[in-house]
């Protein structure tokens, strides 16, 4: 995991200035008054200010005593100068109880106190001990000397800027999720417009403590509700517990996400074995006697993450993903001059690769599982390959395609009728093999796990092999963080390794519809998450049956680091056209320049498009007819990288976040 520094808390640097006085070369003179020659004096007083635009806090000490909490801290302004005259501070303590973290509104558990403001707490005191150093005494009737708790401090108000919220103490194992797991999607939550973004807290080292900050209010214990449905001030602070926010609010993403994949969020072991305890009742009925028996029969030391993974079939999926691999050969011509490729499937056991006989284990019947014949799909395609890009489908799934199962278990696909228009391209192959398995079906009714293989290419003129290389601008787990179930969006594609399996169909030379939202892989992904395609999938509908935006829409679209962990180099994008839809008119001859296609997927208003077109960008250019042209050999005129490459005056990183 990466260390997340949102706003490093500056440390107070106490600068001591010594003054030395020189006597005569002879005997020392008589002692003088303090500060006079020959007598040490106090020296100059360090400077202080009474205003700040930034307030930095250094924790010195805190003490939990019966009925009160005492905190000592020092504050400086944006220039590191000590601040005097602080009158405003607030502190919250959510206590660790047998039920977990809890803070009630009536003060019966935990507590809070405020100095300054409109309603200061009775008995509170905030005293400056010396320049910039303060003591904050906060009365809390329910607090005892042995109380452990989650403590959050904030200081400042008026002319002194408010500091960030700071978690100054937190019991061990307060929560099993982490800032890193939450920030896989909620990158830099504090900069978003999502509710309560201003409450994101830091720890005393200046690092974001996202979950700890949330739990100060969203405790493990909910606020009590009266019989008439009204909220009481007893129990916990908020109606929604932290675990309910995690479990319920994260249940219904659009595609291939399962909440029972607990490892997505829970980085630490989850040891709860009590059905009525924190978290279980959010999803399981407390009347579930069957589940009670499961829990009572299970060791008190079991990890609930493993329990759910095994129960749902996720463990089996993970084992299968690690237990097989697919390969396909560089395209070759058979004795009749027909282009072919040969695919193979291997079962893995450590370093040992055992061939799986595709023909003997193939069945295309998806109506039931086939433990003895697990292969439910085996398909191959040939592609044009030019300038490190797939530029179209050269051959595949034709009516005269010839499939041959070989004695060694491999399968050869030959294509007597390839497409025209690829004379300038190298030829490469992709193959996809899908295996059925027990214990899993997703909401699309698919019951298979897919393995995609890409071959190197061959130069048609020289017959030399050309390494298949494709620029990958996302991290390996970019997709699987959210699409975590290992099922497949459609047609048995897979999300692993940044969705590279999808490129066999969603590439620069094949404009897959994506609800007519965008061409190519990158533009399609941008659009389907945050652009015009966001609400077009039809996965979510309102009461009137109208499509509504998917879950990604509520996240910060400019937080590109969610997928692009190492930035985006606009200069590295090949300067060649990609296929484009012609605004739903069915015309397949239109092309788009690549950076414009990606940017327009989100920045799709007329003003943005006008800017792109003025700088050479195109989204609907006539550059060839079907597959019989040389469109992929032609450079575009877009000059986006001139101004928007990283480090430039209007670099992409100045408007999109690529750092955690």
């Amino acid at each position: 995991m990466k260390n997340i520094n949102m706003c490093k808390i500056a440390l107070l640097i106490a600068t001591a200035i010594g003054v030395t006085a020189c006597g005569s070369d002879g005997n020392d003179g008589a002692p003088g008054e303090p500060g006079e020659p020959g007598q040490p004096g106090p020296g100059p007083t360090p400077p202080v200010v009474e205003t700040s635009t930034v307030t930095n806090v250094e924790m010195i000490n805190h003490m939990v005593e019966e009925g009160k909490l005492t905190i000592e801290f020092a504050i400086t302004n944006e220039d590191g100068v000590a601040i005097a005259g602080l009158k405003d501070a607030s502190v919250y303590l959510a206590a660790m109880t047998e039920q977990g973290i809890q803070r009630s509104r009536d003060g019966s558990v935990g507590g809070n106190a405020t100095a300054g403001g409109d309603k200061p707490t009775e008995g509170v005191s905030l005293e400056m001990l010396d320049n910039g150093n303060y003591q904050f005494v906060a009365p809390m009737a329910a607090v005892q000397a042995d109380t452990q708790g989650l403590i959050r401090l904030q200081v400042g108000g008026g002319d002194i800027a408010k500091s960030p919220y700071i978690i100054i103490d937190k019991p061990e194992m307060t929560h099993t999720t982490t800032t890193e797991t939450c920030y896989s999607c909620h990158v830099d939550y504090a900069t978003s417009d999502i509710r309560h973004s201003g409450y994101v807290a830091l720890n005393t080292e200046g690092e974001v403590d996202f979950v700890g900050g949330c739990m100060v209010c969203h405790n493990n214990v909910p606020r009590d509700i009266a019989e008439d449905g009204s909220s009481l001030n007893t129990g916990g602070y908020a109606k929604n517990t932290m675990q309910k926010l995690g479990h319920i609010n994260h249940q219904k993403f659009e595609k291939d996400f399962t909440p029972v994949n607990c490892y997505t969020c829970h980085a630490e072991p989850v040891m709860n074995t009590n059905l009525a305890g924190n978290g279980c009742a959010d999803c399981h009925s407390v009347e579930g006697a069957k589940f009670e028996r499961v829990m009572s029969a299970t060791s008190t030391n079991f990890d609930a993450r493993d329990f759910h993974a095994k129960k749902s079939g996720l463990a089996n999926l993970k084992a299968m993903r690690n237990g097989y691999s697919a390969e396909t050969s560089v395209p070759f011509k058979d004795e009749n001059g027909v282009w072919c490729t040969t695919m193979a499937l291997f079962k893995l056991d450590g370093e040992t690769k055992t061939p799986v006989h595709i023909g003997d284990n193939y069945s295309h019947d998806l109506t039931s599982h086939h433990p003895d014949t697990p292969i439910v799909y085996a398909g191959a395609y040939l592609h044009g390959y030019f300038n490190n890009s797939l530029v179209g489908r050269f051959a595949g799934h034709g009516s005269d395609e010839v499939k041959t199962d070989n004695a060694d278990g491999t399968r050869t696909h030959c294509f007597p009728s390839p497409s025209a228009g690829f004379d300038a391209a190298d030829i490469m192959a992709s193959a996809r093999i899908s295996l059925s398995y027990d214990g899993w079906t997703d909401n699309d009714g698919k019951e298979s796990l897919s393995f995609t293989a890409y071959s190197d290419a061959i130069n048609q003129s020289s017959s030399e092999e050309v390494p298949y290389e494709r620029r990958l601008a996302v991290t390996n787990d970019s997709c699987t963080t959210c699409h975590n179930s290992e099922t497949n969006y459609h047609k048995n594609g897979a999300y692993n390794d940044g969705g590279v399996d999808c490129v066999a169909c969603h590439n620069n030379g094949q404009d897959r519809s994506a609800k007519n939202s965008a061409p190519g892989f990158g533009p399609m992904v941008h659009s389907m998450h945050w652009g015009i395609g966001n609400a077009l999938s039809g996965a979510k509908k309102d009461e009137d049956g109208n499509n509504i935006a998917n879950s990604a829409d509520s996240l910060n679209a400019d937080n590109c680091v969610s997928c692009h962990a190492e930035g985006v180099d606009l200069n590295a994008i090949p300067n060649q056209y990609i296929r484009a839809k012609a605004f739903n008119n069915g015309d397949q001859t239109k092309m788009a320049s690549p950076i414009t296609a990606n940017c327009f997927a989100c920045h799709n208003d007329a003003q943005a498009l006008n800017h792109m077109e003025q700088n050479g960008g195109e989204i609907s250019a006539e550059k060839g007819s079907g597959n019989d042209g040389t469109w992929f050999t032609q450079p575009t005129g877009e000059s986006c990288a001139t101004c928007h490459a990283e480090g430039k005056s209007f670099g992409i990183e100045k408007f999109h976040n690529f750092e955690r």
Side-chain angles (χ1 to χ4, degrees), residues 589-612:
T589 70
K590 300 298 184 181
M591 312 295 160
S593 53
I595 298 178
T596 295
N598 277 273
C599 296
F600 183 70
C602 295
H603 303 285
N604 50 30
D605 58 30
Q607 184 178 13
L609 179 59
N610 181 59
H611 170 76
M612 298 174 203

Side-chain angles (χ1 to χ4, degrees), residues 383-573:
H383 308 271
Y385 180 66
F386 183 85
N387 196 18
N388 292 357
S389 293
L390 298 184
V391 294
R393 184 164 291 167
F394 178 61
H397 276 337
S399 59
D400 55 354
E401 177 185 1
V402 179
K403 305 174 186 177
T404 303
D405 288 318
N406 305 311
D408 62 358
T410 61
R411 172 176 281 192
T412 298
H413 287 245
C414 295
F415 307 94
S417 303
S419 299
F422 289 94
D423 292 345
D426 300 323
I427 303 299
M428 61 165 291
S430 69
R432 185 171 66 243
I433 303 174
S434 301
L435 281 68
S436 68
Y437 53 87
D438 288 323
W440 186 269
T441 54
D442 72 354
N443 61 358
D444 287 334
K446 294 181 296 293
E447 302 175 347
S448 60
L449 185 68
S450 295
F451 299 84
T452 301
Y454 296 95
S455 77
D456 285 333
I458 186 168
N459 184 284
Q460 296 188 76
S461 299
S462 66
S463 297
E464 294 181 0
E465 291 190 13
V466 179
Y468 169 57
E469 297 176 347
R470 185 181 182 276
R471 193 175 49 86
L472 184 63
V474 296
T475 55
N476 283 347
D477 59 355
S478 294
C479 304
T480 56
T481 297
C482 296
H483 302 284
N484 62 17
S485 70
E486 285 276 11
T487 51
N488 310 307
Y489 183 34
H490 67 170
K491 295 186 178 179
N492 308 111
Y495 297 104
N496 298 79
D497 300 325
V500 295
D501 289 5
C502 306
V503 177
C505 295
H506 297 278
N507 54 61
N508 291 350
Q510 292 170 251
D511 175 30
R512 312 305 288 187
S513 177
K515 299 301 178 182
N516 298 314
S517 61
F521 184 55
M524 178 193 71
V525 171
H526 292 150
S527 178
M528 294 299 285
H529 287 80
W530 292 287
I532 190 173
N534 178 272
L536 292 178
S537 69
K540 281 188 172 182
K541 297 180 180 293
D542 61 20
E543 295 179 353
D544 297 324
N546 300 314
N547 291 353
I548 60 177
N550 64 40
S551 300
D553 188 61
S554 64
L555 303 176
N556 286 10
D558 58 354
N559 269 322
C560 307
V561 70
S562 297
C563 301
H564 300 286
E566 299 177 357
V568 172
D569 185 358
L570 298 187
N571 289 312
I573 296 176

